[in-house]
Amino acid sequence: MGYPDQRFDVNLSILFTELPLLERPAAAAAAGFTAVELWWPWIETPTPPRAELDALKKALDDAGTQLVGLNFYAGQLPGPDRGALSVPGEESDRFRANIEVAADFAASVGCTALNALYGNRVEGADPQVQDALALENLVLAARAADRVGATLLVETLNKPESPLYPLVSAPAAIEVVDKVNAATGLGNTKFLLDLYHLSMNGEDLSQVIKAYAAKTGHVQIADNPGRGAPGTGDLPLERLLDELKDAGYAGWVGLEYKPGERPSADSFDWLPPSARAAG
């Protein structure tokens, strides 16, 4: 058990950001990793030119890295936004325009997990209207994910850093997961369990794992406080990942932490090189 018993991937939207996007897969491979994930890389547009999509696919292929997770368009992220799908008007339209683009790109690189960030509450908008719009858009996203053999993910964020985001507890996200599955009948919508965000919300992490491991489609980690690499904070991440495995979770664990002042390649000293390549 322990870290060497997990399947890790590197989030290239928070690690290796000192490099241009197309150089990051090779940098992850040079550090010993064979799997990566990404937030939607084109924050300005849900529909980037085909040449840019092809260039990213080539960078992933040339590096020998497998993309195992991809966010749908989520607005300005990093930045003030936390998703677009529940935001009435232009942002919701942009999310819809992105659904097939993201699903087709995922299919082209063999990525089977698509994360749909819910979006912030908007001043002057009725929360019930936002939630109805969210369900509508998540159903469309779940169907697109199903078409390409992928899982749709719904993520809890943390209230201190995302005060306008409504899904700031595991049960809140699970409720959305259940509603989408009930609406589609597909069963391909799952929980993205991020141990950092849940710990920032003060949740009992062992209890969350016990209750929701069966509905979890992806896991992400960072230590707390600080959102740094494992070992830089107080979270017993090795034990918690063992608990997830014992509860039946056999999926990916995304490294979504900030490397600090050092180069990203130097932030993996907590993980033996032999445990970095996904078997």
Side-chain angles (χ1 to χ4, degrees), residues 14-29:
I14 195 168
L15 285 154
F16 295 108
T17 57
E18 62 268 33
L19 299 171
L21 174 65
L22 297 182
E23 294 178 21
R24 294 176 206 170

Side-chain angles (χ1 to χ4, degrees), residues 83-105:
L85 63 92
S86 69
V87 180
E90 189 181 335
E91 279 300 89
S92 169
D93 292 345
R94 286 159 76 88
F95 177 81
R96 288 192 187 193
N98 176 247
I99 290 174
E100 299 300 334
V101 176
D104 287 344
F105 181 76

Side-chain angles (χ1 to χ4, degrees), residues 8-228:
F8 289 107
D9 72 84
V10 178
N11 189 312
L12 297 181
S13 297
I14 195 168
L15 285 154
F16 295 108
T17 57
E18 62 268 33
L19 299 171
L21 174 65
L22 297 182
E23 294 178 21
R24 294 176 206 170
F33 293 93
T34 53
V36 297
E37 62 181 76
L38 278 166
W39 302 340
W40 185 249
W42 299 276
I43 63 173
E44 300 298 338
T45 177
T47 53
R50 164 61 54 191
E52 293 188 25
L53 292 159
D54 290 345
L56 179 54
K57 180 184 188 306
K58 184 177 188 302
L60 291 163
D61 291 345
D62 289 352
T65 49
Q66 175 65 49
L67 187 69
V68 299
L70 176 68
N71 281 17
F72 285 105
Y73 170 79
Q76 299 290 311
L77 182 78
D81 298 332
R82 297 292 185 271
L85 63 92
S86 69
V87 180
E90 189 181 335
E91 279 300 89
S92 169
D93 292 345
R94 286 159 76 88
F95 177 81
R96 288 192 187 193
N98 176 247
I99 290 174
E100 299 300 334
V101 176
D104 287 344
F105 181 76
S108 78
V109 295
C111 174
T112 57
L114 287 158
N115 183 27
L117 283 170
Y118 200 81
N120 288 330
R121 290 297 192 218
V122 178
E123 194 176 343
D126 183 339
Q128 287 182 302
V129 170
Q130 282 199 257
D131 290 340
L133 178 63
L135 182 58
E136 208 176 292
N137 283 334
L138 285 166
V139 164
L140 294 173
R143 288 182 179 142
D146 181 66
R147 175 176 66 78
V148 299
T151 298
L152 175 69
L153 300 170
V154 176
E155 182 175 9
T156 292
L157 299 183
N158 75 77
K159 194 169 182 65
E161 293 174 329
S162 303
L164 299 177
Y165 191 82
L167 308 183
V168 288
S169 72
I174 292 290
E175 184 182 350
V176 173
V177 166
D178 290 345
K179 280 182 180 172
V180 177
N181 283 329
T184 63
L186 295 171
N188 71 325
T189 301
K190 299 204 167 171
F191 179 41
L192 196 166
L193 191 159
D194 185 310
L195 289 167
Y196 168 73
H197 287 310
L198 296 173
S199 71
M200 283 284 286
N201 289 328
E203 294 193 62
D204 181 332
L205 300 179
S206 294
Q207 193 52 47
V208 168
I209 288 167
K210 203 174 293 183
Y212 302 127
K215 293 185 177 184
T216 296
H218 191 65
V219 170
Q220 291 173 335
I221 64 168
D223 216 329
N224 188 21
R227 200 174 184 174

